[in-house]
Amino acid sequence: MSMGDSAIMLRRNFKHTIRNPISVFNAILFPVILMLMFVYVLGDAFSVGEHYVDYATPGMILLAICYGLSATATAANSDMTKGIINRFKVMDVSRGAVLTGQVIGSMVNNVIAVAAIVGTAFALGFRPSASLLDWLGVAGLVLLVGFAIGWFTVALGLFAKSPETAAIGTVPLIMLPFFSSAIVPADKMGAGVKQFAEYQPFTPIIETFRDLLAGTPHTGHLITALAWCAGIAIVGYVWATSTFTKRV
């Protein structure tokens, strides 16, 4: 796979994203609106043992990553169903670069969205105790989560029959953080939902963000989060590459 081809695909995908105001809104502005809504409108309704903005920010970081997934899945599907891939083949563009460009493009969107969320959190009074090393851990985990979910989302997009079904296919991923510890602690949820929240993949990832931002890294949460990221990335990569090979 050529790094030059991957860079070309990344630039192409990024230009498509910024030319689509709906994608920009969903990926960057809507998570900020959600944060303002939960902290300003609903924050006083939750008893979480600390300032709600401090509790909510780690979950909002994951929400910011998830809310750009629809555009990634739709873009991957459009390339597959509208004949763009065949044009790239004629141009001798690396097959792997097409998929890698989508994943890296998704990660770039994630970084921008997370930066917007963190900036908003500081404006709302967020004051973490994280050290420089903890912040580097947060940044690394953002990239790792984005990489893992990016491959899984590209796989969903390639598997779907149309851009519309690709977008719908990402809805469970977008909704999953709401059934985790992102908004309220899992132990405050009802029976059934509590157990689901405790054992689904996003909760340990959010708790790892929370631990790092509080300056108290927890090995158990971190190992579980890394294991989920590795599993999701492997499944997504294998699914995406095999689907891509079959369809082209």
Side-chain angles (χ1 to χ4, degrees), residues 50 54 57-58 61 118 122 126-140 207-218:
E50 58 183 316
D54 294 331
T57 298
I61 289 175
V118 172
F122 274 108
F126 179 52
R127 297 296 181 265
S129 302
S131 65
L132 176 60
L133 188 61
D134 293 327
W135 275 109
L136 290 175
V138 170
E207 292 304 319
T208 302
F209 280 132
R210 191 165 283 135
D211 295 337
L212 289 169
L213 291 171
T216 56
H218 187 283

Side-chain angles (χ1 to χ4, degrees), residues 62 179-181 186 196-208:
L62 187 60
F179 297 92
S180 69
S181 62
F196 178 81
E198 288 175 343
Y199 295 105
Q200 63 124 310
F202 284 169
T203 290
I205 293 172
I206 292 169
E207 292 304 319
T208 302

Side-chain angles (χ1 to χ4, degrees), residues 43-114:
D44 290 340
F46 301 124
S47 176
V48 295
E50 58 183 316
H51 292 300
Y52 188 69
V53 66
D54 294 331
Y55 180 87
T57 298
M60 292 298 165
I61 289 175
L62 187 60
L63 276 168
I65 294 173
C66 289
Y67 265 84
L69 298 181
S70 176
T72 300
T74 301
N77 184 270
S78 295
D79 283 351
M80 181 62 69
T81 57
K82 294 182 178 180
I84 303 299
I85 301 298
N86 292 330
R87 297 181 188 178
F88 290 151
K89 289 167 66 177
V90 173
M91 297 166 60
D92 196 29
V93 174
S94 168
R95 283 177 157 194
V98 177
L99 301 183
T100 304
Q102 293 286 1
V103 174
I104 298 176
S106 175
M107 292 172 67
V108 170
N109 292 338
N110 292 340
V111 170
I112 296 172
V114 169

